[in-house]
Amino acid sequence: MDKIYSVLIVGVGGQGTILASNILTQAAINAGLDSKKSEIHGMSQRGGSVFSHVRFGRKVHSPVIPLNQADILVSLEEMETARWLDYVNGESNLIILNHRILPANVSVYPEGIIDEIKTKYKNVTIIDQESMLEKIGNSKYLNVFLLGVVSKFLAIPETAWQTAIKDLVPAGTFDKNYEAFIAGKNLA
């Protein structure tokens, strides 16, 4: 794999953004790739923005994704998607969970974010949170579900993903997390 893949994972504190990036990073390492990660989770415990850059390939020199260079943007919250659009380009894949979390001191959520994104980018996958919750049973598995969707765009073997999930999710949750991963991978 000569290409360096760049995946930006964004969300709000408490959604599992960091765990998702840890799993992706470890899956790439398990596949024999050089993988680097950079994350910021400053006010994450108070519902603040959380983001993680993950880059992997034969040899990666920097964990930070340059502007307009993300291959994949994974967003666990609609408004966070809009905050990070400078990192994507016309060929990027955007995987967006249609979930809304009002920031502190904000009482009205802006409408039309996803519609606007769909008019500007051609590779947009919108994940309906409610229907996914019916499939996977609990919102705490949505981050790993989204990694299953991401896995369709990356040449990382399923065994590398499975081992990373097993090694990194909380004890006793592997089966449910792996079921969520497979559900995401199988999403039509």
Side-chain angles (χ1 to χ4, degrees):
M1 174 186 295
D2 288 332
K3 176 176 174 39
I4 294 175
Y5 286 88
S6 298
V7 180
L8 181 60
I9 303 174
V10 303
V12 173
Q15 290 188 291
T17 305
I18 301 301
L19 177 59
S21 66
N22 289 344
I23 291 169
L24 173 56
T25 302
Q26 189 60 51
I29 290 169
N30 292 348
L33 302 169
D34 184 22
S35 185
K36 301 215 178 351
K37 177 179 67 124
S38 174
E39 61 192 42
I40 297 292
H41 47 86
M43 295 298 288
S44 62
Q45 293 176 337
R46 297 185 183 171
S49 183
V50 179
F51 63 92
S52 186
H53 297 238
V54 179
R55 301 183 79 216
F56 55 91
R58 188 179 310 265
K59 181 65 182 160
V60 178
H61 297 286
S62 171
V64 179
I65 301 169
L67 293 176
N68 301 310
Q69 297 299 309
D71 296 296
I72 301 172
L73 170 64
V74 180
S75 178
L76 287 92
E77 201 278 337
E78 284 183 30
M79 200 175 325
E80 287 302 314
T81 309
R83 290 181 209 256
W84 295 97
L85 290 175
D86 287 344
Y87 284 86
V88 300
N89 59 58
E91 299 303 313
S92 301
N93 288 293
L94 286 74
I95 301 166
I96 305 167
L97 183 66
N98 73 340
H99 182 59
R100 296 176 172 188
I101 299 174
L102 279 173
N105 301 323
V106 175
S107 59
V108 178
Y109 201 95
E111 293 297 325
I113 292 173
I114 288 181
D115 292 336
E116 183 71 19
I117 289 169
K118 287 166 116 180
T119 65
K120 294 182 179 180
Y121 300 94
K122 64 181 179 179
N123 302 317
V124 179
T125 303
I126 306 299
I127 307 297
D128 180 63
Q129 178 172 314
E130 293 307 314
S131 63
M132 289 310 105
L133 286 176
E134 289 175 17
K135 288 183 181 184
I136 64 174
N138 192 315
S139 63
K140 66 184 174 182
Y141 307 121
L142 282 169
N143 57 343
V144 179
F145 171 85
L146 291 172
L147 288 177
V149 177
V150 169
S151 74
K152 298 189 306 185
F153 300 101
L154 302 173
I156 295 176
E158 188 171 328
T159 55
W161 286 103
Q162 185 176 23
T163 302
I165 294 167
K166 186 173 187 178
D167 290 347
L168 295 171
V169 298
T173 67
F174 169 74
D175 290 340
K176 289 291 188 183
N177 273 291
Y178 192 64
E179 287 173 19
F181 176 84
I182 295 301
K185 185 175 182 178
N186 293 333
L187 184 70

